[in-house]
Amino acid sequence: MKNIRKFKPIIFVIIVSVFLVFIGFNFAQSQGKGKPPKKPKCNYNGICEKGENSDCPDCQQEPSPPLQIEHDNLQIVSGSGISDKKVYQVKYLNENYSNTWYSNVHQGNTSATSIGDLDNDGLKEIVTVVNAKMSTGPPKQRYSYKKIFVYEDGSTGEPSYSSHDLGYTLNGVRDSIIADADNDGLNEIVLVVNDHIEIYEWDGSGFSHLWTGPSYDEFVWSVDVGDADNDGSNEVVIAMFRIGSAIVYDYLGDNTWGNPVITESIGSYNIDQAKIRDVDGDGFNEIIGGGTSNRLNIWKYIDGYYANVFLSEDLGGYTQGVDAGDVDGDGFNEVIAGSSGEIDMVYVFKYNENLDTYGMIAWASLNSGVAVLATGDLDNDNADEIAVGSSGISVFKLINGILEFIYNFSEGGYLEIG
């Protein structure tokens, strides 16, 4: 027993020594490895600022050539989806189309990109509305807030100014338009935010919220502004899922829009696009639409009711892109529709006054489907071109009755001409 008692302290000492050696070895290993590198501090505002890590997207790109907006002529402006998250400008210069400017990388997608005189200074701006994500509240919980970024002449990729956080949004801003929504002679910006729209104006130092529309059970997909009922004042028109109709809002005064009128339904389809254009040459506007019906449809305001006056044949895919413009140079608009699905095409329809209907006069195949399309006279020859956006930008021109492909740009996709 005495020998056992003598050995106990020795065993204790040995155990402690082994433990200390083990701790020291692991400490030395950890010192050798060093602390794990910190994640780069990035603010995703399009500017490489002091304190941002060189690995941040804002600091990893070459600056763009200085922005030169065509204030008296037209250009294409385009945003992108979840890929490169930039904004682009495409112009017709020296008898060719070229990408002439691009923004820095944004944190969210730039599909809600538009062009117009947003601050009412007589000059156009290029604008995108982006989700800016930030962590707040409980750990690992992220909230997304939308912000308006504005680009003026001279920008080499950085925004000229941006809004404060404009509130939480789940899925980002899908569409935007700069237009006189309240008929005061000054422009506002209308945003499609998930299941509703929001309207803001530039107040001289920032963006003021004017109105938030009612929330619907389905997503709102796009918005347009124009004189839909031909009463001399603009209305706001939205395209929405499930109802097969567009919804038209009147301006009621005091920063309020209401009295929603639902156009005649074409069935249980999603309406992806609804635009206000004169498409029959009578000097009065109609609403043209498309969506999951695979068809071009046209509504006309008759005796207080938006009647569906034309529904095309099945065009072989979702008609997510529609617009109207004078593509044949005769002084009257044609209607353009693009299809995405089994058949990827762009079609030109023309109103036949004798038959009081619309007939297809030209078409062309696409390499991919259509997310959106727009028309405008980009080369100043008195006939509009057609810009189709999907996985990049394609430009078509009607030449001797044939719709010809004339330009492709691999970036961007969600576009507007202005």
Side-chain angles (χ1 to χ4, degrees), residues 266 296-299 307-313 349 357-359:
I266 62 168
L296 166 69
N297 62 280
I298 301 174
W299 293 287
N308 185 254
V309 295
F310 179 75
L311 193 63
S312 76
E313 62 188 86
F349 289 82
T357 191
Y358 298 80

Side-chain angles (χ1 to χ4, degrees), residues 278-295:
D278 176 15
V279 294
D280 61 6
D282 66 352
F284 297 100
N285 287 326
E286 289 75 37
I287 299 175
I288 55 177
T292 60
S293 66
N294 290 14
R295 304 171 191 272

